[in-house]
Amino acid sequence: MKLVKERKEILKSGDVPTKRRRTVTKKTSKDERIELYESKKDELERNGKNGSDLMKVKIPLEPQGAKRPRVNSKLNSAYYDTAYREWLRDAMQWVEDYLLDTDLAMVKELLGTDKDGNQYKNTHIIKGFKKLKDIEYKTDEETGLRVVKNRNVALDESGDVILDKDGYVLSLSGQKIPILGKIRDDYLGLKARILFILPRRNNRETRIDDRPFPVDANTSDIDNYAKSIIDAFFENPMFKETGLNDRHIQSLLLQKRYAKPDEDIGIVFEIKAI
């Protein structure tokens, strides 16, 4: 993600945010994001809807099928196709912006609340929070150095773990990293529906007699389209740090079709807790 160095400097300074910092060029304050979220809620309520309608979004990116990593036998390493890597970066950035602009409404809705209406923070029972003694290390194969095993742990420029004033380990988003117990008994998993709206070959306009579905060879398999956008959401730290995982999806309905006349291409993504 963007501006990782800036985040580390923020964490090192001790000015830890309560939510993950926005990482796009356009700067918006927390108050502005809350105001935007409230305005969206008001609009939904005027239309007879509720906050759960924020669980359905249209991502304004051309659908991209996930690519298998390529292997460089000489370097004994794997890497992704450049175009797919760039697409995934842009998609993850869009998801991050959406989550921040809606005050994490999607994450909160998926996690749910307890019987007293208190917001859950994780899909698992939280037993406590990690301190330095709880951090696991591994040996880097290339350098031979001892490095932190969990990629989500915040490190300073020297590679040392960043702690808050109480000695708790911080994540990349500035949150205390929880020690997790079992999955909550009242958490049953997720269900999702995804529609992929595709451009026609050479981006030509749709004609009235055109076939609506892409049965020729110029599009990706539907499962590859699904993997790419699911990764864009579930690889986001705001999902990962709360225990949300794509293996929790128990029901998945997919469809791909060409864009209708005057319709924008994109991905309609809807997800809910079971």
Side-chain angles (χ1 to χ4, degrees):
M1 305 301 288
K2 300 178 183 178
L3 304 181
V4 173
K5 184 176 180 181
E6 178 181 315
R7 285 183 188 161
K8 290 180 178 179
E9 290 175 352
I10 292 170
L11 290 167
K12 189 176 180 181
S13 70
D15 181 20
V16 179
T18 56
K19 292 189 177 68
R20 193 161 186 249
R21 294 269 177 161
R22 192 178 180 90
T23 59
V24 291
T25 303
K26 180 183 177 182
K27 300 295 183 181
T28 55
S29 67
K30 176 182 175 182
D31 290 340
E32 288 173 328
R33 292 199 298 269
I34 292 175
E35 182 179 353
L36 176 60
Y37 172 57
E38 294 297 336
S39 68
K40 288 182 178 180
K41 285 203 303 182
D42 291 342
E43 181 180 351
L44 291 169
E45 290 171 357
R46 286 196 300 271
N47 293 328
K49 302 178 181 181
N50 54 50
S52 64
D53 289 271
L54 294 172
M55 309 300 285
K56 182 177 181 180
V57 296
K58 183 173 182 180
I59 298 91
L61 296 175
E62 180 176 338
Q64 171 75 52
K67 308 291 186 183
R68 294 181 182 274
R70 299 176 181 178
V71 178
N72 187 323
S73 57
K74 293 182 179 180
L75 299 176
N76 192 29
S77 63
Y79 62 96
Y80 282 102
D81 172 81
T82 300
Y84 175 62
R85 187 170 64 246
E86 292 177 352
W87 182 93
L88 185 59
R89 178 198 63 201
D90 292 342
M92 290 182 69
Q93 187 65 57
W94 189 94
V95 170
E96 179 176 323
D97 294 344
Y98 178 76
L99 293 176
L100 289 175
D101 287 343
T102 55
D103 196 32
L104 307 183
M106 179 178 284
V107 173
K108 292 176 181 177
E109 188 79 11
L110 294 179
L111 293 175
T113 58
D114 64 19
K115 60 182 181 180
D116 297 320
N118 299 311
Q119 177 68 55
Y120 280 124
K121 303 296 185 182
N122 204 288
T123 58
H124 291 62
I125 294 173
I126 297 177
K127 299 167 60 177
F129 295 94
K130 291 186 178 181
K131 292 199 170 186
L132 201 55
K133 62 181 178 59
D134 302 307
I135 297 301
E136 298 180 359
Y137 293 84
K138 64 179 181 179
T139 301
D140 186 280
E141 295 180 358
E142 294 184 3
T143 64
L145 299 176
R146 184 168 174 261
V147 296
V148 175
K149 193 173 183 179
N150 187 339
R151 291 181 298 174
N152 192 43
V153 173
L155 305 174
D156 61 21
E157 294 180 355
S158 302
D160 296 325
V161 175
I162 296 177
L163 309 175
D164 70 2
K165 60 182 178 60
D166 297 316
Y168 291 106
V169 175
L170 295 178
S171 70
L172 291 176
S173 66
Q175 305 298 308
K176 294 187 295 185
I177 298 179
I179 299 173
L180 302 178
K182 67 175 186 177
I183 293 180
R184 297 181 351 241
D185 290 336
D186 59 350
Y187 178 72
L188 303 179
L190 309 169
K191 57 183 179 180
R193 298 192 301 176
I194 312 175
L195 170 64
F196 305 99
I197 306 172
L198 307 170
R200 292 191 178 272
R201 192 188 295 270
N202 299 323
N203 292 312
R204 72 168 178 80
E205 294 292 330
T206 297
R207 297 189 293 263
I208 190 67
D209 58 343
D210 277 332
R211 182 188 294 114
F213 300 106
V215 296
D216 52 12
N218 70 317
T219 62
S220 294
D221 294 346
I222 197 166
D223 59 323
N224 289 330
Y225 281 134
K227 176 170 174 49
S228 62
I229 192 59
I230 287 174
D231 281 351
F233 277 85
F234 285 88
E235 289 300 313
N236 189 292
M238 298 180 196
F239 270 65
K240 294 177 76 70
E241 291 183 12
T242 56
L244 292 168
N245 193 298
D246 55 3
R247 69 171 175 265
H248 298 165
I249 298 177
Q250 310 299 317
S251 172
L252 181 60
L253 179 62
L254 305 174
Q255 184 186 65
K256 62 177 181 177
R257 63 168 172 79
Y258 286 123
K260 299 175 183 177
D262 301 321
E263 182 183 30
D264 293 329
I265 61 174
I267 305 167
V268 180
F269 182 87
E270 182 178 11
I271 188 166
K272 295 181 179 181
I274 295 176

